[in-house]
Amino acid sequence: MSSIDNFTFKGETGKTLIKSPGSIQGQVFNLMQLEGCTIYLLDHSDAVYVDECRNCTIFIGPVQGSCFLRNCNTSTFSIACNQIRTRDCTELTIFLYSQADPHIEKSFGIKFAPYNFSYPFQDKHFQAAKLNPDANKWSVVYDHNSSEGEGHFEYLPPNQFVEESKEISGFPPPVNPVQRSVMYGGNIREDIIPPRAAKNIQSPMPVRRDLPPPAIANPTDNQNLSAQEDRRYVPFNSPKMGEVSQVEAKIQNQVQLNANISQNEDLGIIQVLTYNYRQGQGFEYDYTGVTSFPNEIIRGTLESLDVIVKPFNESLNLLFLCSMLVVIGFFVLFLQFFILRMTSEWRKEAWAIVIVFICISFIVLQVIIFLKKRNLSKDGEIKVLEFVTQENSKSYEQRKATLNATLNMVRIEIK
């Protein structure tokens, strides 16, 4: 079995597929073409891709990067990740922890709720995936197709919220480090940003909890698990109406991702982020959730580069204005001398001397400005290169990313 097969569940029907704690260890995992299956990924991973899964119940432990759901329908997910992105999905219920804003695209009938799943060592896996369990943006959903109408997503009613738990023999008790609001039976008070009023959203296919779970697909790969140790259903009683704080009606503006995502041959993702410098504003940080890279590092990089390039760009802009003023002054002088020539009689030799003097002065000034701009740009690029080299060594190379920058542009490639 290849290393890719070790981190892939594909083409199964009606099975329980389990990856126990310690069996993934930060690798990329793929779920493809599954139907009627129950999936447990009980370990931290780098990224998870879920493609063409139907009528499944899927539990995904902490993901350091992104979790992609594509062409999935009538399924229930419990997911903890840095960011979730759905595309071409219908009728999903997602119990979610997301450190960055969730994004949905061309998806309909999606129901979101706070994260509900516990299993052994999950708190340690959150640390390994560099996720902060106190920073859950599960409700800050950005709909890329909101202009096409309503009905793309809504929030799960509190009386439909359920907690899920997975106990494993020989492991510590299950744990879920993510807190949730009192609306969903938790102990924190949070403002939930209301989505558009959803219309014609059907409830997802219910999970049959009165039936015994199917057998594990590969018992030899999970000898410490048995079919009798399947997930336990923990009933949830919704809080009384008097115990729930009133949800303030707030709409938070979101911005679309400035990223170009393409798959490479190794089933990885190369995400290219580009930030352009704007005079007076600096490098505009308009990315609300990088799929596999900490946002605070990118923000810090851009702020540091702003400090470095600002004096150089301001000086270059001033030199450009000086160059334009020299050009304008040159034409004004020529115009004045032609007017004088029409009103006074000068010898041709005098006119020739004046014109030659003006042309030489114009050329000399432009050469001086050009040399100053070139030297200033060179000094600025050296400063930027020194910073980029230091920053790559300090923060980017260890995260499989590359930082490139000039005085006017920052480019980050994230694998």
Side-chain angles (χ1 to χ4, degrees), residues 324-380:
M324 293 297 100
L325 289 175
V326 169
V327 173
I328 294 172
F330 173 77
F331 284 105
V332 170
L333 283 176
F334 257 102
L335 180 60
Q336 289 180 343
F337 275 107
F338 275 108
I339 293 174
L340 288 174
R341 185 178 180 182
M342 293 168 50
T343 59
S344 61
E345 295 183 359
W346 285 18
R347 296 183 62 180
K348 292 182 179 181
E349 292 81 2
W351 282 110
I353 291 173
V354 171
I355 293 175
V356 170
F357 175 79
I358 293 175
C359 292
I360 292 176
S361 299
F362 173 79
I363 294 173
V364 170
L365 288 173
Q366 291 288 11
V367 169
I368 292 174
I369 293 173
F370 171 79
L371 293 176
K372 283 186 174 293
K373 289 174 63 177
R374 187 182 66 176
N375 293 336
L376 193 62
S377 297
K378 183 177 180 181
D379 293 339

Side-chain angles (χ1 to χ4, degrees), residues 60-68 78-86 94-104 112-116 122 126 130-142 176 178-179 190 288-291 295:
I60 299 176
V63 182
Q64 183 172 353
S66 288
C67 184
F68 294 87
S78 294
I79 301 172
C81 61
N82 182 57
Q83 187 186 58
I84 185 173
R85 296 179 63 89
T86 74
I94 303 175
F95 297 91
L96 179 64
Y97 166 87
S98 181
Q99 191 163 257
D101 300 350
H103 286 250
I104 64 173
F112 286 97
Y115 190 57
N116 68 337
Q122 185 170 202
F126 262 81
K130 301 179 181 178
L131 300 179
N132 179 7
D134 297 326
N136 189 3
K137 294 185 177 181
W138 69 272
S139 64
V140 192
V141 181
Y142 181 69
N176 178 6
V178 180
Q179 300 294 321
E190 65 175 347
T288 59
V290 179
T291 58
N295 286 352

Side-chain angles (χ1 to χ4, degrees), residues 89-92 94 107-112 152-154 201:
C89 294
T90 57
E91 306 301 333
L92 304 183
I94 303 175
S107 298
F108 301 89
I110 312 298
K111 290 187 177 183
F112 286 97
H152 298 167
F153 77 98
E154 66 174 354
I201 296 184

Side-chain angles (χ1 to χ4, degrees), residues 47-295:
V48 174
Y49 302 93
V50 185
D51 295 288
E52 300 179 18
C53 292
R54 301 193 304 272
N55 303 325
C56 292
T57 301
I58 299 177
F59 301 91
I60 299 176
V63 182
Q64 183 172 353
S66 288
C67 184
F68 294 87
L69 310 184
R70 299 174 292 201
N71 297 291
C72 297
N73 58 73
T74 56
S75 296
T76 300
F77 292 85
S78 294
I79 301 172
C81 61
N82 182 57
Q83 187 186 58
I84 185 173
R85 296 179 63 89
T86 74
R87 189 183 69 196
D88 297 319
C89 294
T90 57
E91 306 301 333
L92 304 183
T93 297
I94 303 175
F95 297 91
L96 179 64
Y97 166 87
S98 181
Q99 191 163 257
D101 300 350
H103 286 250
I104 64 173
E105 183 178 359
K106 298 181 180 179
S107 298
F108 301 89
I110 312 298
K111 290 187 177 183
F112 286 97
Y115 190 57
N116 68 337
F117 184 52
S118 59
Y119 70 88
F121 297 121
Q122 185 170 202
D123 52 347
K124 297 184 182 300
H125 294 165
F126 262 81
Q127 296 177 4
K130 301 179 181 178
L131 300 179
N132 179 7
D134 297 326
N136 189 3
K137 294 185 177 181
W138 69 272
S139 64
V140 192
V141 181
Y142 181 69
D143 183 3
H144 287 259
N145 302 103
S146 58
S147 61
E148 298 178 2
E150 301 173 346
H152 298 167
F153 77 98
E154 66 174 354
Y155 298 139
L156 185 75
N159 60 2
Q160 296 182 21
F161 182 87
V162 294
E163 291 181 301
E164 297 281 358
S165 179
K166 180 67 177 177
E167 291 187 354
I168 306 175
S169 177
F171 283 79
V175 60
N176 178 6
V178 180
Q179 300 294 321
R180 60 180 180 271
S181 69
V182 294
M183 172 175 286
Y184 290 93
N187 54 11
I188 62 173
R189 297 184 180 274
E190 65 175 347
D191 293 331
I192 299 176
I193 299 173
R196 296 171 177 265
K199 297 180 179 179
N200 299 325
I201 296 184
Q202 303 295 328
S203 299
M205 179 174 290
V207 179
R208 293 292 303 276
R209 306 183 187 278
D210 56 336
L211 299 178
I216 298 176
N218 188 3
T220 59
D221 189 37
N222 301 277
Q223 295 180 357
N224 58 335
L225 301 176
S226 64
Q228 289 74 21
E229 294 170 329
D230 202 351
R231 61 192 172 96
R232 293 186 177 181
Y233 168 60
V234 181
F236 166 71
N237 295 322
S238 60
K240 297 179 181 179
M241 294 303 296
E243 299 174 350
V244 181
S245 61
Q246 183 178 5
V247 180
E248 299 180 5
K250 300 195 303 182
I251 302 297
Q252 185 181 66
N253 293 327
Q254 300 293 333
V255 293
Q256 189 171 356
L257 298 175
N258 181 21
N260 180 20
I261 302 176
S262 61
Q263 288 188 337
N264 61 16
E265 295 180 351
D266 298 325
L267 297 179
I269 286 289
I270 297 180
Q271 185 177 11
V272 180
L273 308 179
T274 302
Y275 303 91
N276 296 316
Y277 184 87
R278 295 188 178 183
Q279 194 66 32
Q281 300 179 8
F283 294 103
E284 291 192 344
Y285 183 83
D286 58 358
Y287 194 76
T288 59
V290 179
T291 58
S292 58
F293 201 90
N295 286 352

